[in-house]
Structures are given as C-alpha cells and as structure tokens.
Amino acid sequence: MVPAPLPSRTVVVLGASYGGARAARILSQSLPPDWRLVVIDRNSHMNHVYVFPRFTILPKHAPKAYIPYTNHLITPPPLDKSSASSPASSPESDLPTPPRTPSSTSLALSDDEEDDSRRTWIQGSVTSMTSHSVTFTRPCRRRDLSDSSASFASAHSHTTTGTFDGPDETIYFDYAVYALGSGMPDPVNVWSEHPNMPSGIVFDHHEHGLGTKKCGVRWMQKKAQQLKKAQRIVIVGGGALGIQFATDLKDVYPNKEVTLLHSRMRFMPHYPVAMHTAIVEGLDRLGVNVVLGERVVTWPNEPEHLGLPKILRTDKGRQFEADLVLPCTGQKPHVSIMASLSPSTISPITSRIRVHPTMQVSNGPVRPVGPRANTLERLSNLSLHAPPTPPASNRGSSDTSASENDDEDDLSHVFAVGDCAETGAIQAGHTAYWQAEVAARNIIRLIERQEGRAKEELENYKPGPPAIKVSLGLKTAVTANGDEVKVSHEGVEDLQALIMWPSLNAQDLDVNA
C-alpha cells in the first residue's frame, strides 16, 4: 500500500524501552518545529524487565512491571505519593544511572509544551526496514476497525485482540533510532505461549493480546502457579537471571529443592571476584544446590511444563531430575530487521549491530571501545575509518520516489542503541539509556548541520566500568560498580518498581487497566 504523506520531516524510534524511551524524550524536546517524531513499540506498556523474575514468583506485584505509554506524549499528572511506598531507590539505583524522575523515564512533555501531531506513539510490530522507511503492523483492534480517526493503537490492553494482523503501514524517515533490544529467556518471556495452563486461570492470547499488560500479568500468574507446584526446580545458567530466580525461589519456598547449574567456575566473571564470593555466600545461606563447571548437553522435552519428571545430563556425565527446568542461558538481540536491510552491519562474533562510537550504524567492522571488547574484534578492526556524515538531504518524509535509488550502504543516518548494539559495554538498561542520549543528541546535531544552523562535532559514547545489581533473595542484593562491590540487606518485595513510573493512578495497578 502507498502510505499517506507525512506533514513534516521525520525521526522514528523503533522500540520504547530503556534506551528508546530516553532517545524519544530528548528528541521530543529538541527537534525543530517542522520535524516529526514517531515512536513504535510492540508492547502496549513499557516492560520493566528487571523485576520480571521476582514477579513471576510473586505475581501480586505483576501490574507494577507494566508502565503505561498512555501519558508518554502528554503531560502526566503529579505522582500520587500516597499510593506508593515512597521508594528511595530503583532496582538499579546504586549504579551510575540518571535519577528516576518523570522527565527521565518518559516521553512526557514539559508543562510549557503542547501535545501535537508531531509526536506520535504507535503500538505496532516492525516487519521490515529500508534505508529510509520502516514497515509495521498494528494489533487488531476490538473497536470499529473502520474508524479512520483512530490514528494510533490504544495503549490500553483490552482494546487489542492479540494478533498483529492489521494492514502493512509504512513510514518514511530521515533519521532512525533502532532500539529493539533483545529477547528475554523463556522463564521471563511474556511473549511465549505455553500450552499447559494451571487450573483456575482462563488464558487466551487472542482475548488478552500478546504485548499487552493483561497478557503479561496473566502469564506471570500462570508461571507462578507452576513454580509453586513444582517441588524440584533446576535452573540452568548462572547469570543475573539464574541467580535471581534461584535465590528468590528458595527465599519464598524454603522447602523446595532448587539447583543452579552454571557452565563456568565463576559467577559474573566480568566483575570483581568479590561479587562471585558474595553470590556464593548468598546461595549457600538460602540452601540452593550449586553446581559449577558443568554444561548441559541433554535437555528434556518441554522443560518448563509440569508433568513427567524432567531429566537433563551434563558434560561431566551427571544426571539431574526435576519437576521444572528453567533455561536462563542468555538473551538474543533483536537484529533480524537490520540484518535483512544490511547483513554487513551484524557482527559475526556478537550477533549485534556494529556501531561507531557516535552510535551510528556501520556497514563494516569498527574498533570496539568498551572494557568488554572482544580480542578477535580488536584484531580484525585495525583499519577503522571515520563514520561518514550523511549528506544534507532535501528529501522529505513523504518523498517515496527515491526509495529505490537510496544508497543502502550509507546508514549513517540510522543509530542503534541498547542490547542490540555492539559497543563493548555490558547489556543493561542504564547502558541503553546513556547510549540513547548520545544518539539523540547526535541526530539533533546532524539536523542542525543539515539546515546550516550549526556545525558541532558529533559526540562519542564512552562506556563506563561494568556495573550491575543482583538480588540474592527478597532482602539481600549485591552491587558491583567498577572495582567496588557492596552487599545490602534492605530489599523490598516489589523491588521498588514504582520508582520507574512517570505518573501513577490507582487504576494503573489494576490488572485490567
């Protein structure tokens, strides 16, 4: 289909989680008046994934994990502090992250700004991309599908039927921020569908809608019932997710037999050894069975479904039997859209999008700059050249005639941030946040340069030292920031999730809201 012409030059942000939301926030405040911002995300609510492991065990808090996008393009009402527990810090507050305030966690406009058509949020699933366009589908609406006045999908979960089966729509852009992140492992992947439904829960993806709050909350309730019923649970993978699952499960259900299998001899090897020691002590304190240095080579069928006992074997010949097996073996970056556009942008080593320090997408190898840069990448990238500067383009967003003649090799007007970008930094929400700031500011610089208003040099992203916070049960957590490692015992059940919300109304915590 031929898209309707857009009224202005356009910047699109693909993905509105930790990185995309921050990029959109800066762009919404800084774009010139004749530019339009379009934000596309497949979820109706921002998924605060750091609390997902905890809330799949304690689903009474699940609604707090889904932050409405409804107010992200309008001025939010003041936070009703009486409805929150006046949290002092966020789940990552001990890390070098910006303060969690309404202005830094949403796209909301400031009090002296007006909401207008230049800022649009769309719930949609991106299906393809060219160098100057993005194609997506919206979820089918339960309201009147002929209502042409509904210019973008509702942020309320009960208005979609769960399948992204609307017609293809295409938006043309001058600049893009690719912030599609990575897929979560199955134990916290609310986009997965499991056939074994516990009794008492009626769950229909077509009714509640994949990518909606209602679907996510129901998914967590289902998972929580499975975890409650299972007496023997084996967790495979000793990263932050596996550690948090193991310690939370054992803290909530001390009589369960919980085993944590890790293929390495050390937990969290990118951090000081003191963190490994604190994690081992926390696991031991709670009574988790820990097996280090053994890799699973034989997996059971349907490891996460209750039923027959699950048997798995390791490369050391040992056999483990469980009622449930939770694979916590890492995330996969969402790069397929970029890979289809330009395969050379994907690193064969990390499977992430190659970017210059400016966060501009690169069609070839670049020199990693972060503390975790892979040695093989360093050796293969000795011929680094400066990223190209996009030519001043008079092509507006509605110009479709040049699309076939675009230079597909020049993607310097496309930026990638977060888990899908290869920067040498760790994959984390606070990392994506800072990368998004660099990308957004550089887009503004390029627009100003293009329009002859300034020639400021582009900014480089410089990764800081690795930093992370890992919970070790409901009360305890260990934080690493560079060489410093701290253990605290002041945790709360909901991980102070509400600190991430730009605004809060009573109905926001309703499962049906």
Side-chain angles (χ1 to χ4, degrees):
M1 65 175 289
V2 178
L6 295 179
S8 63
R9 297 177 180 180
T10 300
V11 179
V12 298
V13 177
L14 307 181
S17 188
Y18 303 100
R22 183 54 180 164
R25 168 67 181 172
I26 293 175
L27 291 166
S28 72
Q29 295 174 321
S30 306
L31 283 173
D34 59 340
W35 282 75
R36 184 185 188 188
L37 172 67
V38 179
V39 184
I40 305 173
D41 194 280
R42 67 176 182 169
N43 292 302
S44 67
H45 293 61
M46 177 180 170
N47 286 196
H48 185 23
V49 296
Y50 287 101
V51 299
F52 275 23
R54 174 71 55 84
F55 293 176
T56 58
I57 298 171
L58 297 174
K60 64 182 179 181
H61 299 296
K64 302 174 186 177
Y66 302 93
I67 305 170
Y69 282 129
T70 312
N71 294 329
H72 280 202
L73 291 172
I74 61 175
T75 304
L79 177 65
D80 181 4
K81 295 182 180 179
S82 64
S83 63
S85 55
S86 60
S89 61
S90 75
E92 291 190 289
S93 62
D94 295 326
L95 308 183
T97 57
R100 306 301 187 186
T101 64
S103 64
S104 67
T105 59
S106 75
L107 313 185
L109 309 181
S110 60
D111 292 337
D112 59 348
E113 291 180 294
E114 288 186 3
D115 179 36
D116 58 24
S117 61
R118 295 188 303 109
R119 300 164 173 85
T120 303
W121 175 82
I122 297 170
Q123 184 186 3
S125 176
V126 177
T127 58
S128 65
M129 184 178 182
T130 72
S131 61
H132 278 282
S133 72
V134 59
T135 299
F136 62 93
T137 59
R138 305 176 197 260
C140 183
R141 294 169 59 84
R142 295 176 66 187
R143 295 176 178 172
D144 183 3
L145 295 178
S146 65
D147 180 10
S148 59
S149 65
S151 59
F152 48 89
S154 170
H156 295 290
S157 60
H158 55 275
T159 64
T160 62
T161 62
T163 54
F164 288 77
D165 53 3
D168 283 351
E169 300 179 55
T170 299
I171 289 177
Y172 291 86
F173 60 81
D174 297 86
Y175 295 94
V177 178
Y178 190 107
L180 295 180
S182 58
M184 298 299 291
D186 285 347
V188 288
N189 181 12
V190 297
W191 276 75
S192 65
E193 299 189 59
H194 297 302
N196 286 6
M197 306 306 300
S199 60
I201 288 187
V202 177
F203 188 80
D204 182 351
H205 283 284
H206 292 282
E207 171 67 20
H208 298 312
L210 283 170
T212 65
K213 171 184 176 180
K214 182 181 288 187
C215 176
V217 171
R218 294 284 190 255
W219 190 97
M220 288 179 171
Q221 291 172 338
K222 176 195 75 73
K223 183 66 69 174
Q225 287 199 15
Q226 289 180 320
L227 294 171
K228 183 177 182 179
K229 291 179 180 180
Q231 185 58 34
R232 299 169 301 168
I233 300 175
V234 172
I235 298 163
V236 181
L241 179 62
I243 293 166
Q244 291 176 160
F245 254 126
T247 53
D248 279 359
L249 279 167
K250 197 63 176 175
D251 207 350
V252 175
Y253 302 110
N255 293 326
K256 289 189 185 296
E257 179 183 315
V258 178
T259 300
L260 178 60
L261 288 175
H262 187 42
S263 61
R264 300 186 180 188
M265 292 301 299
R266 176 174 163 183
F267 291 112
M268 314 298 286
H270 296 298
Y271 302 92
V273 69
M275 185 166 204
H276 166 82
T277 301
I279 291 170
V280 170
E281 291 174 350
L283 292 164
D284 181 67
R285 171 179 55 84
L286 291 167
V288 176
N289 302 321
V290 177
V291 179
L292 298 178
E294 297 194 32
R295 185 179 301 275
V296 175
V297 294
T298 302
W299 288 82
N301 293 327
E302 299 185 337
E304 293 183 74
H305 298 162
L306 282 172
L308 295 176
K310 321 295 179 190
I311 297 176
L312 51 78
R313 295 177 177 84
T314 72
D315 56 357
K316 299 296 172 57
R318 284 215 281 175
Q319 176 175 299
F320 295 86
E321 188 172 304
D323 302 312
L324 282 179
V325 177
L326 305 184
C328 299
T329 51
Q331 301 164 248
K332 294 182 179 180
H334 288 150
V335 299
S336 60
I337 301 296
M338 182 63 69
S340 295
L341 168 60
S342 178
S344 63
T345 63
I346 308 302
S347 166
I349 295 175
T350 65
S351 297
R352 293 188 169 88
I353 300 169
R354 290 165 161 157
V355 293
H356 295 283
T358 56
M359 305 311 299
Q360 292 167 288
V361 171
S362 171
N363 285 95
V366 294
R367 182 180 295 118
V369 297
R372 297 179 60 231
N374 188 292
T375 301
L376 293 178
E377 287 272 20
R378 292 182 181 276
L379 294 176
S380 64
N381 296 312
L382 298 179
S383 58
L384 174 67
H385 297 285
T389 299
S393 171
N394 295 321
R395 175 181 174 280
S397 299
S398 61
D399 181 6
T400 64
S401 61
S403 60
E404 294 183 357
N405 298 321
D406 286 342
D407 181 4
E408 298 288 345
D409 291 331
D410 180 13
L411 295 176
S412 54
H413 59 292
V414 179
F415 294 72
V417 302
D419 286 1
C420 61
E422 179 49 56
T423 64
I426 63 170
Q427 277 67 56
H430 63 275
T431 302
Y433 186 104
W434 292 119
Q435 292 171 358
E437 287 204 340
V438 172
R441 287 194 291 262
N442 280 341
I443 288 174
I444 299 301
R445 289 184 175 98
L446 289 173
I447 291 173
E448 291 175 343
R449 185 184 300 178
Q450 173 181 324
E451 298 181 348
R453 292 187 285 115
K455 293 186 178 179
E456 189 175 354
E457 291 297 318
L458 299 189
E459 178 182 349
N460 286 341
Y461 167 70
K462 298 178 181 179
I468 195 171
K469 184 176 184 178
V470 180
S471 63
L472 301 173
L474 303 186
K475 298 282 188 183
T476 304
V478 56
T479 302
N481 188 358
D483 294 330
E484 185 179 20
V485 175
K486 292 182 178 179
V487 177
S488 63
H489 302 281
E490 300 175 355
V492 293
E493 273 193 7
D494 71 351
L495 293 168
Q496 298 179 328
L498 297 182
I499 201 71
M500 291 292 294
W501 289 52
S503 61
L504 184 64
N505 297 308
Q507 78 171 51
D508 288 332
L509 299 183
D510 183 347
V511 67
N512 296 312

